[in-house]
Structure formats: C-alpha cells, structure tokens
Amino acid sequence: MRVANRRGSFMGGILMGGIVFLIAAAVFFFVGNNIREMRSRCIESTEGIVTNVREERKTKGSGDKKKKYSVYVTDYYFYANDHKYSDTVEAKDSMFPPKKGNAITVNYDPADPDEAHYTKYDKGAVGYLVTAGAMGAFGIVAIVCGIFPQLIEDRL
C-alpha cells in the first residue's frame, strides 16, 4: 500500500498552476498581438461623428475596496470607401468625454473598414502584452519549481 506524499502533490499542484498560467499568457498574447496587427493595418483615417453618449456607472473590486467609476458608451459613425459604418466604444472615466455631434478621429483599414477600425477610446494592445509577459514569467517559474522541487529544497 502506497502512502501519499504531501510534498509531491503540492509540487504537482504548482506544476499544474504553472501550465494554466502559461495557457492564459498565450491567450492574452494572441489577443494583444491581434489588436496590434489590426492597428498596424489601419493606415487611413477619417472623421467620425458621435451620435449618442450615455454615462454608465460601473463598480470595480469587492468589499471595502469597491470603487465606482463612469464609462461613456459612445455610438458613432464614419464614412470609408463611400460606405457608412457605425460602432460603439466605451470611453473610460474622462475629464472630457465625447459629446453628441462632436467629431472623433477613426483610423481604419481600407481593405476592411467594417471590421478593422479604432478610435482613441478603444483599448490598446500594451496591457494585454504586459499581462501576457507577467503571467508567462510566473508560469515558467511555477513549472520549474514543480519539475525540480529538489532545487527549491536545496536553496532553503
């Protein structure tokens, strides 16, 4: 009859956690990279017109650390290649939110303006890529710790 090794199962858990972090890092990397590539294809720009702005209150965090903030859900349209396109973007809490009737700059891909366009209010790729790097580094450390537990013991 075999007796369970607590340390072995703990290190196995660390190994599995590292694998999960690497998978999540890959997802964040691919999302960020797709945004970055889409933005690099958006070589044309035009003026879009804001058609509607509505303020929405949101809450971030939980318990005592709950923080309320506003986002401005902004509907706009723009013309590209003699066609009218419309979209919605969330402008984060800002001192100068967009107003109805204002013009905003829309960058777009001339080959596919309906799918590939963005404004200054859209999320960029940097946050996704930084998160992917941090999660990947943590995942690699966890995997190394899970595979080579003796190295950890020798260091302690």
Side-chain angles (χ1 to χ4, degrees), residues 117-139:
H117 62 272
Y118 69 94
T119 68
K120 70 179 184 178
Y121 301 112
D122 286 302
K123 291 181 185 176
V126 174
Y128 289 104
L129 296 174
V130 169
T131 302
M135 291 177 89
F138 184 78

Side-chain angles (χ1 to χ4, degrees), residues 76 78 80-81 84-87 108-117:
Y76 66 94
F78 66 99
N81 303 336
K84 182 178 179 180
Y85 301 99
S86 61
D87 202 359
Y108 66 93
D109 178 0
D112 189 14
D114 191 29
E115 291 295 323
H117 62 272

Side-chain angles (χ1 to χ4, degrees), residues 5-44:
N5 182 349
R6 289 182 185 259
R7 183 180 55 197
S9 93
F10 177 72
M11 289 300 167
I14 288 178
L15 179 65
M16 290 304 296
I19 291 170
V20 168
F21 267 88
L22 280 182
I23 292 169
V27 169
F28 274 88
F29 175 78
F30 286 120
V31 168
N33 199 41
N34 284 342
I35 291 171
R36 187 184 57 77
E37 286 177 356
M38 181 272 298
R39 286 188 170 206
S40 70
R41 291 189 317 268
C42 295
I43 57 174
E44 297 288 329

Side-chain angles (χ1 to χ4, degrees):
M1 188 158 141
R2 188 174 168 161
V3 177
N5 182 349
R6 289 182 185 259
R7 183 180 55 197
S9 93
F10 177 72
M11 289 300 167
I14 288 178
L15 179 65
M16 290 304 296
I19 291 170
V20 168
F21 267 88
L22 280 182
I23 292 169
V27 169
F28 274 88
F29 175 78
F30 286 120
V31 168
N33 199 41
N34 284 342
I35 291 171
R36 187 184 57 77
E37 286 177 356
M38 181 272 298
R39 286 188 170 206
S40 70
R41 291 189 317 268
C42 295
I43 57 174
E44 297 288 329
S45 65
T46 187
E47 293 296 314
I49 304 297
V50 175
T51 57
N52 189 28
V53 178
R54 56 191 183 283
E55 181 179 4
E56 289 185 6
R57 298 288 293 162
K58 293 193 174 187
T59 304
K60 180 166 55 173
S62 62
D64 293 339
K65 298 188 182 209
K66 219 179 251 192
K67 181 182 172 189
K68 292 188 177 198
Y69 63 99
S70 293
V71 294
Y72 299 92
V73 180
T74 305
D75 300 324
Y76 66 94
Y77 70 89
F78 66 99
Y79 287 96
N81 303 336
D82 297 326
H83 289 88
K84 182 178 179 180
Y85 301 99
S86 61
D87 202 359
T88 301
V89 66
E90 278 189 3
K92 296 289 185 203
D93 201 9
S94 169
M95 289 181 61
F96 304 105
K99 302 230 182 297
K100 185 176 180 178
N102 282 5
I104 58 173
T105 301
V106 180
N107 299 303
Y108 66 93
D109 178 0
D112 189 14
D114 191 29
E115 291 295 323
H117 62 272
Y118 69 94
T119 68
K120 70 179 184 178
Y121 301 112
D122 286 302
K123 291 181 185 176
V126 174
Y128 289 104
L129 296 174
V130 169
T131 302
M135 291 177 89
F138 184 78
I140 289 170
V141 168
I143 287 173
V144 168
C145 291
I147 291 175
F148 302 110
Q150 192 61 39
L151 291 175
I152 306 304
E153 277 185 20
D154 290 346
R155 301 268 179 198
L156 296 177

